[in-house]
């Protein structure tokens, strides 16, 4: 961990404050060096009190993404987020992670961008990623699952992202199959899973997550206004993006651990309870095929089972779902 990350970590733990001398001892640097780092953190927007009696105290963190800060909030030993990079602007965070994957970087690295110029969504759509308003990030995974089980990863991520959103905002969030997160029936987050596989073996998976956090209604392009919303619009208050990002990475690390230990069943149970698509009448467009019926359940591979009006059970693994409400 860098000195800045360690300082922020210690300040978060010592809510009542910590003396410059104690901080310097914990970091193994001089008090002057601590003071120099505190000054730098203040210029980034961290409100840190310095008083002769109470020492240093973190009063408020800025609503921006800072890689050291995010790292400092994660468990020691976490896989997801063991390296975090933040770009001001990039084409797509999935592209950046793909380069890292090709370079052989180990799994768990997370790349955020404050804005994306070519953010992409599922089914070849573009993903609107305005600066500083949302959380646009991608994670590199090298999971021990076969390429047939890639849906397990998307389901795991949907479970984690929903839990983090609920924990931080207290808003009730639902999952729309396969991987949209909705609040009050409108989309707040989407997941794009891209896989590099050879025959049946996965070389790596890039999971891109886009969450609309602090947009006002008119920050969305007109065509999205009826279907998309932001956490700020739904909760009525600005959401601290770094708090949400840290909660998402923590949840992802826990749930990815569960998946890697072979307990997909536990995640699928949570997913099924949160997925409002189950039990609904749906129309799914899969390429040129259209499937209509009632979504009954998820099968062991994470595919959706649809009972058509002719009584046949259809298995669907991807596509665009319209849910009748
Ligand atoms: C969808 O619902 O269609 C998936 C949207 C995924 C968007 C995220 S934003 C971060 C990452 N980079 C991208 O270009 N896309 C994903």
């Amino acid at each position: 961990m860098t000195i800045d990350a360690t300082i922020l970590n210690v300040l978060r733990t010592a809510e009542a404050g910590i003396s410059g001398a104690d901080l310097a001892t914990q970091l193994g640097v001089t008090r002057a060096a601590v003071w120099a780092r505190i000054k730098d953190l203040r210029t980034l927007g961290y409100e840190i009190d310095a008083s002769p009696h109470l020492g240093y105290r973190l009063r408020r963190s800025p609503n921006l993404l800072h890689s050291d800060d995010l790292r400092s909030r994660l468990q020691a030993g976490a896989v997801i987020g063991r390296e975090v990079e933040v770009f001001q602007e990039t084409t797509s965070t999935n592209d950046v992670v793909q380069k890292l994957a090709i370079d052989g970087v180990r799994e768990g690295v997370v790349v955020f961008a404050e804005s994306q110029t070519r953010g992409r969504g599922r089914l070849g759509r573009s993903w609107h990623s305005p600066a500083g308003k949302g959380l646009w990030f991608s994670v590199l995974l090298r999971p021990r699952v076969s390429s047939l089980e890639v849906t397990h990863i998307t389901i795991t991520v949907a479970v984690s992202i929903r839990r983090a959103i609920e924990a931080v905002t207290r808003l009730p969030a639902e999952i729309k199959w396969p991987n949209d997160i909705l609040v009050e029936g409108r989309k707040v987050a989407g997941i794009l899973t891209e896989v590099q596989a050879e025959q049946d073996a996965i070389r790596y998976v890039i999971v891109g997550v886009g969450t609309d956090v602090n947009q006002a209604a008119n920050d969305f392009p007109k065509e999205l206004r009826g279907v998309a919303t932001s956490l700020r619009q739904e909760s009525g208050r600005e959401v601290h993006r770094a708090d949400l990002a840290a909660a998402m990475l923590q949840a992802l690390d826990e749930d990815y651990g569960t998946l890697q230990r072979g307990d997909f069943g536990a995640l699928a149970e949570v997913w099924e309870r949160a997925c409002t698509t189950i039990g609904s009448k749906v129309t799914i467009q899969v390429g040129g095929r259209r499937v209509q019926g009632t979504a009954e359940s998820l099968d062991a591979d994470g595919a959706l089972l649809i009972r058509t009006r002719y009584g046949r059970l259809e298995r669907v693994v991807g596509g665009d779902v319209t849910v009748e409400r």
Side-chain angles (χ1 to χ4, degrees):
M1 228 191 274
T2 63
I3 291 198
D4 285 2
T6 315
I7 290 180
L8 290 168
N9 198 316
V10 173
L11 291 179
R12 280 208 176 86
T13 321
E15 277 176 35
I18 179 167
S19 73
D22 285 350
L23 196 50
T25 313
Q26 285 203 30
L27 294 167
V29 298
T30 62
R31 284 168 64 175
V34 169
W35 176 231
R37 298 314 314 146
I38 296 277
K39 279 196 293 190
D40 267 13
L41 286 167
R42 279 178 170 173
T43 60
L44 290 172
Y46 290 89
E47 293 177 23
I48 301 170
D49 292 338
S51 97
H53 298 299
L54 297 171
Y56 294 117
R57 198 173 67 90
L58 178 62
R59 197 153 30 88
R60 206 144 62 98
S61 304
N63 201 348
L64 54 77
L65 303 173
H66 180 297
S67 55
D68 288 343
D69 186 32
L70 288 170
R71 269 294 310 125
S72 82
R73 291 162 177 240
L74 306 178
Q75 300 273 334
V79 171
I80 310 283
R82 56 181 160 201
E83 284 170 62
V84 177
E85 290 186 35
V86 178
F87 287 79
Q88 284 313 303
E89 184 178 279
T90 185
T91 50
S92 156
T93 52
N94 272 37
D95 293 342
V96 180
V97 169
Q98 186 179 18
K99 290 204 185 85
L100 298 176
I102 292 167
D103 286 350
V105 168
R106 61 185 181 163
E107 71 171 349
V109 61
V110 182
V111 172
F112 287 85
E114 287 288 12
S115 76
Q116 301 183 113
T117 52
R118 284 210 305 275
R120 55 181 183 270
R122 289 175 62 238
L123 309 168
R125 295 181 182 134
S126 64
W127 184 263
H128 188 238
S129 326
K133 299 282 180 181
L135 286 179
W136 329 122
F137 71 93
S138 304
V139 185
L140 173 62
L141 301 175
R142 298 184 185 276
R144 292 186 298 269
V145 296
S146 84
S147 53
L148 297 172
E149 293 166 329
V150 170
T151 344
H152 292 191
I153 293 169
T154 311
I155 285 173
T156 304
V157 174
V159 165
S160 319
I161 296 303
R162 170 182 174 263
R163 185 163 80 257
I165 287 177
E166 288 202 333
V168 172
T169 65
R170 303 275 157 212
L171 289 167
E174 51 186 287
I175 298 174
K176 179 183 165 206
W177 189 87
N179 46 15
D180 288 351
I181 312 294
L182 314 185
V183 172
E184 297 295 335
R186 288 197 288 165
K187 180 159 169 174
V188 291
I191 300 159
L192 175 70
T193 308
E194 294 179 328
V195 183
Q196 180 66 39
E198 257 161 35
Q199 280 144 11
D200 210 14
I202 289 186
R203 288 188 53 214
Y204 58 82
V205 178
I206 299 166
V207 183
V209 181
T211 307
D212 293 319
V213 184
N214 282 327
Q215 289 99 324
N218 58 12
D219 288 323
F220 286 100
K222 275 205 186 70
E223 65 278 11
L224 290 182
R225 287 184 200 162
V227 287
T229 185
S230 71
L231 298 172
R232 179 179 134 192
Q233 283 181 76
E234 295 306 313
S235 64
R237 55 196 163 80
E238 171 125 344
V239 176
H240 197 276
R241 289 181 308 136
D243 287 351
L244 182 60
M248 285 181 175
L249 298 187
Q250 270 160 22
L252 281 168
D253 189 59
E254 282 164 27
D255 295 341
Y256 185 60
T258 304
L259 180 72
Q260 290 288 73
R261 284 191 299 275
D263 198 3
F264 173 66
L267 299 161
E269 252 177 52
V270 178
W271 186 92
E272 282 208 41
R273 278 201 304 274
C275 179
T276 48
T277 314
I278 306 285
S280 304
K281 286 218 165 85
V282 293
T283 304
I284 304 191
Q285 195 69 40
V286 199
R289 200 163 69 101
R290 200 179 153 98
V291 183
Q292 257 181 326
T294 304
E296 268 196 7
S297 59
L298 205 61
D299 78 1
D301 294 329
L304 191 65
L305 300 177
I306 311 219
R307 181 76 60 188
T308 68
R309 63 186 144 140
Y310 308 108
R312 224 183 29 243
L313 208 53
E314 290 255 7
R315 183 177 180 277
V316 184
V317 283
D320 206 13
V321 189
T322 314
V323 180
E324 267 178 45
R325 291 211 161 241

